[in-house]
Amino acid sequence: MQKSILKNINSPQELRLINQKDLPHLAHELRKFIINIVATKEGHLGASLGVVELTIAIHYVFNTPVDQLIWDVGHQAYGHKILTGRKDVFHTNRQLGGISGFPKRSESEFDTFGVGHSSTSISAALGMAIASKLKGEDKHHIAVIGDASIASGMAFEGLNHAGVTDANLLVILNDNAIGIDPSVGALKQYLTNVKKGTQKRNNIIEALNFDYSGPIDGHNLNKIISELERLKTIKGPKLLHIITTKGKGLKQAEADQVKYHAPGKFNAKTGDLEITSSKVLPPKYQDVFGYTLVELAKQNKKIVGITPAMPTGSSLKYMMDEIPERAFDVGIAEQHAVTLAAGMATQGLIPFCNIYSTFLQRAYDQIIHDVAIQNLPVIFCLDRSGLVGEDGATHHGVFDLSYLRCIPNLIIFAPRNEVELRNIMYTAQLGLDHPIAIRYPRGRGVMIDWKQSFSRIEIGKAVQLKKGNDLAVLSIGTMAKQVSEASFDLDISHYDMRFVKPLDENILHTIFKTHSKVITVEDNSVKGAFGSAILEFAAIHNYKNTIQVIGIPDRFIEHGSVKELHELTGLDGISLSKQIKALLRKSPLD
């Protein structure tokens, strides 16, 4: 049996001392190491398994970190982390206090750019390459980008600019025909034809003034190393097209690439997923959206569904399976998704545009200019709002209430449970005079019997959940559950405000006249969101009540389980109870 190579590698410098003929064995070890850790600790699996050979080859050929490497998107960088000094702490990946699941500049000098969202690598690497040229430095700049990511508008913007420069930039296109779900679009078809050798049109990469090479086998270490060595001698922008298999080395991950993108816990030896409990659980909010949309779409022929590359994650896949002609995966193109929805709305369709909260940030201009200014009734469904857990700061959806609340014409609603989500979707498709944003969290809801008859929700109407004296707690969305847990034995009033915009001013006047103290609770940044709206209301109407705003602190929250992060930010039931009791004890004169 060959002795371990990986055990003695703690840096790329040590990697470069290995005989090239021994690298395939290192690739085998690295795959096994990733599988064994992710099997028990969870995380992104398939993407990193697919680039093991590429990762080894890049660090073997290039002088990283002097030569600068950017991964796009970062969930394919596990092998990179292991080979760059983080092998011994890799078991802490995505855990509270552990290393990040994505490249992160503050974590390692080998992580030259933070990459939690996709399609940024070419622009960032080009910026670095231009900076190196201006400073008179002779170094290489490598961007590894997937075939799903390169189809994004920003990636094309980077390619377009790079093509008219002489920057020392190498773009490596990792083509495995899948992002999280299968890649879509004309570029995907083009790349498929290139792989088959049937592409008759001119090479679009060469048309952008890139030196194009490939496609080559992305699992042939000798071939990759040879090609990278050759490309080191070529100046200016160049693109290497490699073909890989996502999940390479684990049979089940190769066979079911969607499920094994981030499979949860599994058996490292067999690859089999852990058997889930047969206990009946409340549904995931994404599934409530998905099933409800199909139900509504069957009744209303004007409904269409749109998602930018997340049909499985958003559960729009249910509509794509049942009514495919009215459900659209537009690829990693959030800006396009929003304006596509706006165009559809001008023609009388009812678009449900489902985008993760953190990704909707990428289409902010389109929300304002293409939807809100024109007052088009687009229905935005913001999945993964609030703290999302182990993916960390790049993925938390904790800014949407803040960045949306300032936009005129936009209704903002947060359901406290599954029935409320169903009912607001039903209400929205009946016809609204304005666009609406509906935000809901990642994970499961609170109700087993959630599939109830539809009921219309009055826009801008809050509901009282509990009646008490002196102190009123105002919550938004699923934070109602934590507030109820925190206050079940306390003499307080509890209101689910439901709408951040428009606020229910009638009920707010009643609250401020009958309670001396008010607490607001939200899983959004405390800056500029729901609590700020209540403070503004009080100031405008000259109320002098004591008001305490509770939400996400004004800092980027790191990775950890949602439960841990709620405790860390004071949004769990125990922490809220302490804060409520403290204000109850406080006299108005304190």
Side-chain angles (χ1 to χ4, degrees):
M1 180 182 291
Q2 187 171 348
K3 65 179 181 180
S4 173
I5 299 173
L6 181 60
K7 183 174 69 173
N8 297 313
I9 295 178
N10 295 296
S11 70
Q13 289 89 336
E14 293 170 333
L15 168 64
R16 294 174 201 128
L17 298 176
I18 296 171
N19 192 305
Q20 186 172 327
K21 69 178 177 60
D22 292 326
L23 294 181
H25 181 72
L26 173 62
H28 173 76
E29 283 192 75
L30 186 54
R31 272 201 176 87
K32 187 175 180 181
F33 188 90
I34 293 170
I35 290 169
N36 286 339
I37 296 293
V38 177
T40 58
K41 301 297 183 181
E42 303 188 21
H44 296 102
L45 180 67
S48 286
L49 293 183
V51 294
V52 163
E53 287 85 3
L54 177 62
T55 304
I56 292 170
I58 290 173
H59 284 295
Y60 194 72
V61 171
F62 291 98
N63 184 28
T64 54
V66 176
D67 292 334
Q68 297 178 311
L69 169 63
I70 301 177
W71 293 94
D72 187 344
V73 68
H75 51 56
Q76 60 185 329
Y78 286 5
H80 161 81
K81 292 202 170 203
I82 293 163
L83 294 176
T84 55
R86 287 163 279 184
K87 180 179 62 193
D88 293 341
V89 294
F90 186 68
H91 65 280
T92 70
N93 184 46
R94 302 174 81 245
Q95 296 178 41
L96 187 67
I99 63 171
S100 170
F102 301 96
K104 186 176 180 182
R105 279 172 56 83
S106 61
E107 187 177 291
S108 170
E109 63 178 340
F110 289 93
D111 294 358
T112 60
F113 202 76
V115 279
H117 286 186
S118 82
S119 314
T120 59
S121 61
I122 298 173
S123 297
L126 178 60
M128 293 174 181
I130 291 173
S132 293
K133 183 174 172 52
L134 290 173
K135 293 193 292 181
E137 298 171 342
D138 183 18
K139 60 173 68 173
H140 298 275
H141 308 84
I142 307 104
V144 181
I145 186 167
D147 57 286
S149 295
I150 204 170
S152 169
M154 185 175 177
F156 269 104
E157 291 170 22
L159 288 170
N160 183 54
H161 181 196
V164 295
T165 73
D166 58 356
N168 195 11
L169 171 69
L170 170 61
V171 176
I172 299 177
L173 172 57
N174 173 28
D175 184 0
N176 58 20
I178 189 167
I180 295 176
D181 286 274
S183 302
V184 297
L187 184 62
K188 180 257 183 97
Q189 187 59 55
Y190 170 85
L191 294 173
T192 300
N193 292 344
V194 168
K195 283 181 277 188
K196 292 178 179 178
T198 60
Q199 182 58 42
K200 303 301 183 185
R201 300 179 216 168
N202 292 332
N203 186 306
I204 60 174
I205 303 300
E206 290 179 346
L208 291 170
N209 297 328
F210 272 72
D211 184 299
Y212 173 89
S213 59
I216 66 171
D217 180 359
H219 301 299
N220 185 328
L221 260 165
N222 290 333
K223 182 63 176 176
I224 303 171
I225 289 172
S226 173
E227 194 60 19
L228 292 179
E229 291 284 9
R230 185 186 72 82
L231 288 169
K232 280 178 72 174
T233 67
I234 297 174
K235 298 298 182 183
K238 44 210 171 279
L239 185 142
L240 172 61
H241 184 179
I242 72 168
I243 310 301
T244 64
T245 300
K246 188 171 183 179
K248 179 72 172 178
L250 187 67
K251 183 175 65 175
Q252 289 91 331
E254 293 183 35
D256 193 340
Q257 296 175 331
V258 174
K259 185 174 291 184
Y260 280 80
H261 171 76
K265 293 182 179 179
F266 62 95
N267 186 304
K269 290 184 178 180
T270 66
D272 296 334
L273 300 179
E274 279 198 353
I275 298 173
T276 55
S277 169
S278 58
K279 180 182 177 183
V280 177
L281 297 171
K284 293 180 179 179
Y285 278 99
Q286 68 184 61
D287 288 339
V288 174
F289 162 81
Y291 289 126
T292 301
L293 186 63
V294 170
E295 189 177 347
L296 293 170
K298 287 179 177 178
Q299 301 170 11
N300 187 339
K301 302 301 182 184
K302 293 182 179 180
I303 289 176
V304 291
I306 301 168
T307 184
M310 301 303 291
T312 300
S314 70
S315 292
L316 185 66
K317 188 177 186 301
Y318 301 143
M319 186 175 179
M320 294 176 74
D321 290 341
E322 292 206 37
I323 319 174
E325 69 277 10
R326 286 159 53 199
F328 304 90
D329 175 4
V330 302
I332 303 175
E334 294 85 1
Q335 295 173 318
H336 168 59
V338 171
T339 304
L340 177 72
M344 290 175 166
T346 67
Q347 302 305 302
L349 295 182
I350 303 171
F352 281 77
C353 186
N354 188 304
I355 305 181
Y356 289 8
S357 170
T358 184
F359 297 149
L360 188 63
Q361 295 162 185
R362 310 183 81 179
Y364 194 55
D365 184 73
Q366 287 69 31
I367 300 169
I368 295 173
H369 283 261
D370 299 338
V371 176
I373 286 178
Q374 302 186 93
N375 204 22
L376 295 170
V378 172
I379 303 163
F380 293 107
C381 294
L382 278 61
D383 198 338
R384 271 59 166 186
S385 289
L387 293 165
V388 300
E390 290 83 356
D391 282 339
T394 58
H395 282 60
H396 295 319
V398 296
F399 303 112
D400 53 71
L401 294 182
S402 303
Y403 71 70
L404 294 175
R405 192 172 71 85
C406 62
I407 301 176
N409 289 337
L410 185 63
I411 300 167
I412 305 172
F413 179 90
R416 73 177 180 275
N417 57 36
E418 300 93 312
V419 170
E420 289 274 286
L421 175 55
R422 276 174 60 78
N423 285 339
I424 196 63
M425 290 176 66
Y426 168 75
T427 301
Q429 59 87 43
L430 290 175
L432 295 174
D433 295 328
H434 306 286
I436 184 171
I438 306 166
R439 62 149 7 219
Y440 49 91
R442 179 186 187 188
R444 296 190 180 276
V446 294
M447 306 177 71
I448 301 296
D449 182 26
W450 61 275
K451 206 167 187 178
Q452 300 178 15
S453 298
F454 290 118
S455 177
R456 188 166 189 160
I457 289 176
E458 183 180 345
I459 300 300
K461 185 69 173 177
V463 294
Q464 185 173 19
L465 302 179
K466 181 179 181 181
K467 183 173 176 57
N469 297 290
D470 194 37
L471 190 151
V473 179
L474 317 183
S475 64
I476 192 73
T478 56
M479 283 291 100
K481 179 176 182 287
Q482 278 95 315
V483 172
S484 295
E485 291 173 354
S487 61
F488 74 96
D489 59 346
L490 301 177
D491 181 20
I492 67 155
S493 295
H494 179 198
Y495 295 85
D496 171 21
M497 293 303 293
R498 299 161 105 199
F499 292 88
V500 174
K501 191 174 187 179
L503 288 171
D504 186 340
E505 296 201 353
N506 289 331
I507 207 166
L508 283 175
H509 281 298
T510 300
I511 291 167
F512 275 87
K513 289 173 182 176
T514 57
H515 300 80
S516 66
K517 304 164 187 173
V518 174
I519 292 177
T520 68
V521 181
E522 61 193 303
D523 56 349
N524 191 93
S525 170
V526 292
K527 299 295 183 181
F530 169 60
S532 295
I534 301 302
L535 289 170
E536 291 167 14
F537 171 86
I540 289 169
H541 297 285
N542 204 32
Y543 285 115
K544 305 300 183 184
N545 309 56
T546 299
I547 303 173
Q548 182 176 336
V549 175
I550 299 174
I552 306 298
D554 184 25
R555 66 176 188 270
F556 290 109
I557 306 301
E558 298 305 316
H559 49 275
S561 70
V562 173
K563 180 177 183 295
E564 289 171 331
L565 297 181
H566 278 159
E567 292 169 356
L568 186 69
T569 55
L571 289 175
D572 62 297
I574 293 173
S575 298
L576 288 173
S577 179
K578 290 178 180 177
Q579 295 177 83
I580 293 169
K581 288 176 181 176
L583 192 58
L584 275 172
R585 291 192 296 267
K586 195 173 183 180
S587 74
L589 298 177
D590 286 348

